[in-house]
Amino acid sequence: MRTVRIGAGSGFSGDRIEPAVELAEHGGLRYLVFECLAERTIALAQLARRRDPEAGFDPLLAARMRAVLPACRRQGIRIVTNMGAANPLAAARRVAEVARGLGLHGLRIAAITGDDVTDRLRGTETALDEGGTVAALGNRLVSANAYIGAGSIAEALEAGAEVVVTGRVADPALFLGPLIREFGWAVDDWTRLGRGTVVGHLLECAGQVTGGYFADPGVKDVPDLARLGFPLAEVGEDGNALVTKVAGSGGRVTPATCKEQLLYEVHDPARYLQPDVVADFSGVKVEAAGEDAVRVTGGDGTPRTGSLKVSVGCHEGWFGEGQISYAGPGAVARGRLALDLVRERLGLIGHEAEEMRFDLIGMDSILGPGEGAPEPREVRVRVVGRCTSPEEAERIGHEVDSLYLNGPASGGGVTKAVREVIGIRSCLIPEDDVRPSLAWVEA
Amino acid sequence: MLLRDLAHSRAGDKGDISCISVIARDAADYPLLLREVTAERVRAHFAGIVRGEVRRYELPGIGALNFVLEGALGGGVTRSLALDAHGKCLASKMLEFDLGG
């Protein structure tokens, strides 16, 4: 059976670059995929693009391309990435610039646009999953981007693209696109589209399937995390796959690492909603197939819903935060006193917030109140609130800062922060209302 | 015995929903997990953190359970005031689940 090797060069926008180079040089790949777009990233990118029409794509785009393009060109490896964020066309031009700088003339780059549905949805009564409507967001609306499918990626590759740059695309579709193009899977071959989605889902977080985000010393050990290798899959025409990594790289690929990633961010495993298919992970089997190799079979799928998920970014005000530490005997009591004091002070000065939170890091900031838990040697007070203006948000840090001279004994290490909050909500849009299109740039 | 002795776990987020897997290290322990780690008990285990419904999905083929906890992320990752807004650490909280014995 014919197979194709596809690798994951990143799992988020800040990911390491060397493992992608390692994959490009030694992975024997036909495709290298870079997934770099978190929920909120695209809304922030939209804001950047409004300030500068040539901005709004991933800040590491040029660095990543500079690192992998020579090996990819030499070996004919095609690149697919959502690093275009809010501006795929400008990103494609940037890739062309990088290619020219490397002497890689004639490189063909396709930009996929059409995921931006902000203007289409603005002011409409489209219901948000969290309640309310898009219209009710008014001028708080920042962006609306539909998660588009694999079709236009496959099309761009078929037309000869060596690099495909997209904006918001369903993450697994970045992998499904190349597989559709390679094997000619039909748009209603739900089983194969489902299996391709399994592959995409396993690879889209890169190191998270090769032993990253897995280590628990003494319980789940992972060798050589500092040189963690990124994954590749050898995918068959039937959509079943072997997940592995470059020999000699750090990390490990085992049934356990694959199981953790298979269920990552999944709700109902039998109905993983994607633009191209409703993937069914419920019958997936993973079996060790040698060192750092796992055979993944049994994925399936059912017809797609006909709706696309839309990620809606909106202004949600400002976070203000202050922190201070207490240590040694009585640390917890002094920390609690500090929290009470800040709470009272914020009341006295008439501070206004939409929402406030008072944590004692070391005691209850993550796991919630725990009765009878032993007291730590040091704790950190954290006061944070969401306010309607940066000035109001800043007052929170001021009150924590003032604990230096006015609060409990021996507090130290104050930090303060204010930042704008862009929240993400979601809604659905009929797939026929979204028309992806291709634009070409040549180096 | 804690769940950590028999299983491993990873947490993910979507909006205000946390999804947490519980995967048997040894497939032979899956029936025990199926019996003991119910949606109802998990909801009680996360009291004070989860505000909504808890659903459980079963994956006998890989010896795993998948839990969906609604209203567990302080109103949603992008606007939550929580230190761990994604609820990534909730997987470790899950492994603190007491299996008795």
Side-chain angles (χ1 to χ4, degrees):
Chain A
M1 185 169 49
R2 200 158 70 84
T3 60
V4 62
R5 283 162 77 95
I6 183 166
S10 65
F12 81 110
S13 68
D15 220 337
R16 293 179 188 160
I17 295 182
E18 310 101 278
V21 177
E22 182 176 61
L23 265 181
E25 287 177 351
H26 307 293
L29 302 180
R30 196 188 303 261
Y31 298 96
L32 180 57
V33 176
F34 292 88
E35 197 290 296
C36 291
L37 211 46
E39 264 192 325
R40 181 160 46 190
T41 323
I42 199 151
L44 298 174
Q46 292 265 22
L47 291 174
R49 183 182 180 171
R50 259 171 242 168
R51 289 189 293 269
D52 172 2
E54 278 300 301
F57 55 83
D58 191 280
L60 286 177
L61 173 76
R64 288 192 201 286
M65 290 300 116
R66 209 171 286 124
V68 300
L69 273 178
C72 288
R73 192 80 191 289
R74 201 164 55 238
Q75 301 179 49
I77 301 169
R78 313 283 193 95
I79 295 172
V80 179
T81 180
N82 58 10
M83 278 190 278
N87 203 347
L89 196 53
R93 285 193 289 264
R94 186 78 184 94
V95 175
E97 256 175 55
V98 170
R100 281 192 293 270
L102 293 166
L104 305 175
H105 297 284
L107 188 81
R108 298 192 70 206
I109 305 145
I112 295 175
T113 56
D115 59 301
D116 185 345
V117 291
T118 317
D119 291 335
R120 181 177 284 273
L121 288 184
R122 191 189 304 279
T124 67
E125 295 302 317
T126 308
L128 296 166
D129 296 340
E130 296 76 9
T133 64
V134 175
L137 293 176
N139 59 10
R140 289 169 56 215
L141 177 70
V142 170
S143 61
N145 291 79
Y147 284 82
I148 60 178
S152 44
I153 296 172
E155 199 182 307
L157 292 167
E158 190 58 39
E162 295 168 84
V163 181
V164 181
V165 184
T166 76
R168 183 83 277 168
V169 169
D171 295 347
L174 295 168
F175 297 84
L176 188 56
L179 297 175
I180 290 172
R181 184 257 172 178
E182 200 66 29
F183 297 124
W185 290 343
V187 291
D188 60 352
D189 188 340
W190 310 119
T191 297
R192 284 179 174 77
L193 295 178
R195 288 178 182 169
T197 300
V198 170
V199 172
H201 182 72
L202 285 172
L203 297 191
E204 68 171 78
C205 295
Q208 275 201 170
V209 76
T210 51
Y213 210 66
F214 184 84
D216 196 349
V219 182
K220 295 189 293 174
D221 290 299
V222 181
D224 207 5
L225 274 174
R227 294 194 312 112
L228 184 68
F230 283 175
L232 68 92
E234 196 169 282
V235 189
E237 189 282 332
D238 62 358
N240 290 322
L242 185 80
V243 176
T244 183
K245 64 186 183 70
V246 173
S249 61
R252 58 198 284 221
V253 181
T254 65
T257 67
C258 291
K259 289 176 189 176
E260 277 198 20
Q261 186 55 27
L262 182 71
L263 296 179
Y264 180 63
E265 291 188 336
V266 168
H267 292 181
D268 179 353
R271 291 188 56 77
Y272 189 58
L273 303 179
Q274 289 292 300
D276 301 291
V277 61
V278 175
D280 179 359
F281 296 176
S282 64
V284 169
K285 291 209 162 54
V286 298
E287 308 156 275
E291 196 181 339
D292 290 323
V294 172
R295 175 144 302 282
V296 180
T297 55
D300 210 339
T302 52
R304 65 180 191 272
T305 62
S307 295
L308 300 182
K309 180 181 167 178
V310 178
S311 172
V312 178
C314 59
H315 291 286
E316 296 264 25
W318 298 79
F319 278 162
E321 179 176 347
Q323 297 189 10
I324 184 169
S325 286
Y326 295 91
V332 171
R334 278 177 287 130
R336 295 226 184 278
L337 175 58
L339 286 172
D340 290 343
L341 258 172
V342 174
R343 197 182 277 115
E344 190 178 349
R345 281 290 307 165
L346 290 171
L348 287 174
I349 64 172
H351 181 260
E352 287 179 2
E354 310 280 293
E355 196 183 350
M356 289 293 302
R357 186 175 165 121
F358 298 84
D359 288 326
L360 199 55
I361 299 174
M363 287 298 286
D364 58 13
S365 63
I366 287 173
L367 299 177
E371 276 167 42
E375 289 202 355
R377 297 170 65 218
E378 44 191 74
V379 293
R380 189 154 176 87
V381 161
R382 175 176 182 263
V383 182
V384 57
R386 191 160 52 85
C387 307
T388 54
S389 72
E391 294 77 18
E392 205 60 17
E394 204 170 2
R395 296 172 85 190
I396 297 170
H398 279 164
E399 282 305 324
V400 173
D401 205 6
S402 77
L403 292 173
Y404 264 141
L405 274 64
N406 305 279
S410 307
V414 167
T415 54
K416 297 182 285 184
V418 173
R419 70 175 172 86
E420 191 178 4
V421 187
I422 302 294
I424 296 295
R425 305 185 187 201
S426 56
C427 65
L428 294 175
I429 192 171
E431 62 180 19
D432 290 340
D433 287 2
V434 181
R435 296 263 174 239
S437 63
L438 280 183
W440 293 88
V441 178
E442 199 167 305
Chain B
M1 185 167 54
L2 296 183
L3 185 55
R4 185 168 185 255
D5 297 323
L6 299 185
H8 57 110
S9 173
R10 177 173 292 180
D13 61 277
K14 285 254 161 80
D16 198 16
I17 298 172
S18 175
C19 352
I20 311 177
S21 59
V22 171
I23 304 162
R25 285 198 234 156
D26 180 343
D29 291 323
Y30 176 68
L32 186 147
L33 300 183
L34 198 60
R35 192 178 67 236
E36 297 297 326
V37 193
T38 63
E40 199 180 9
R41 287 186 194 162
V42 166
R43 192 171 192 289
H45 181 66
F46 282 92
I49 293 176
V50 62
R51 300 184 312 282
E53 193 194 342
V54 173
R55 287 191 305 281
R56 183 179 88 166
Y57 298 97
E58 298 162 15
L59 294 110
I62 57 169
L65 301 170
N66 196 40
F67 291 89
V68 173
L69 286 62
E70 292 190 357
L73 299 178
V77 175
T78 52
R79 52 177 284 176
S80 165
L81 297 179
L83 185 59
D84 172 23
H86 295 85
K88 296 278 191 183
C89 301
L90 296 182
S92 303
K93 166 85 179 168
M94 178 69 94
L95 295 180
E96 224 182 7
F97 183 98
D98 194 349
L99 287 168

